[in-house]
Amino acid sequence: MITRVLYIDPSDFKESELVPAADVIKSGGLVIFPTETVYGIGADATRPECAAKIYSAKGRPSDNPLIVHLADPSDAEQYAYTSPLFYRLAGAFMPGPLTVIMPKKDSIPTTVTGGLDSVAVRVPSHPVANALIRLSGLPIAAPSANISGRPSATNAGYALRDFNGRADVIVDGGESDCGLESTIVRITGRDSLLLLRPGAVTPDEIMKKAGCVLEISDAVTGKLAEGERPLSPGMKYRHYSPSKPLTLVSGSREARIRFFRKAQETENAAVICYDEQLPHLRRENAIPAGGETDLETQAHRLFYALRAADSLPCGSIYANLPPASGLGLALYNRLIRAAAYRIEDADSAPDKNTRK
């Protein structure tokens, strides 16, 4: 397969430029396209064989559900049993980086939902993504455009490295804005939700704007129990991981800097650091991720930083453990999975650098 690249300026494009990509979706092919969160690899969500193509291209386990992308919240009526709470969420956050899980209708095959009787839907705000869905006239099932388990792609270049020859078309629409996948919630009652994956839309925002009770799944900060079934993408399997071992580091500011310096000296390690830490580190092996309190920049740069650190001639990678609150919860969720739950306390090991 030869992968065709379409270059689209999100701020100034004609929908006719996307017709070739929409035609691929209609014909059952695979299209990689930009969203405001990360790039997705998409296909017709109503055909089981199309979902199988996505799983095959990504090397993704087939019990890991896919998200169905729609052009308008009202389109969810065709594919899910909606509720007033869904429309409150839609009014507050759609189009945007929020995914809602509801009971599915028969119009969506179980191959898309990982065998579950529920479906995850969202309406992307990225103008290219939204136009592609409308032009295709179909719901588009689309997980992140990365080989399963690897860091998500936030630009077309990263997606092309993973999928050249595996996808029919890549739509290059520049850098993604958020840099993290969407927040995922499951409707559990008339006015209650379960947070399954944090993202740019925070728990506090959801409760405030939708007037509901929100519970946070234990799987957001920990592992699923043995044999427990994933209810949304990103819950069960090792995700977002560089090829080299990543360890997260907690502790005081001074202790973390000492720890990172020691790791660079003794292991030739790469360090994903805060901007404030950069002057204290060996710069050729340091990837700045943003200011310590600038969580939006850290979110935007996270997957770039993981890929950049992985490309350095180093055998290991270290990064700061983020706070597990607000937008930091989304960073924490991605990084603990990327690190396979390896965490070091710099305060308790100031003079040594041994992984647990």
Side-chain angles (χ1 to χ4, degrees), residues 8-78:
I8 305 290
D9 181 350
S11 64
D12 182 23
F13 71 96
K14 296 178 181 178
E15 289 196 352
S16 58
E17 298 175 62
L18 285 169
V19 168
D23 287 344
V24 168
I25 296 291
K26 292 176 186 178
S27 66
L30 296 179
V31 174
I32 291 173
F33 60 97
T35 78
E36 73 277 18
T37 57
V38 297
Y39 271 67
I41 177 167
D44 181 357
T46 66
R47 295 160 63 178
E49 66 272 21
C50 294
K53 287 183 180 181
I54 294 173
Y55 287 118
S56 176
K58 278 180 64 78
R60 182 186 178 98
S62 61
D63 67 344
N64 201 1
L66 305 176
I67 292 174
V68 175
H69 293 65
L70 307 174
D72 188 89
S74 63
D75 294 339
E77 296 290 345
Q78 302 174 57

Side-chain angles (χ1 to χ4, degrees), residues 249-260 346-347 350:
V249 180
S250 64
S252 66
R253 289 184 175 90
E254 296 78 11
R256 277 181 282 141
I257 289 172
R258 289 196 302 269
F259 189 101
F260 289 149
D347 287 313

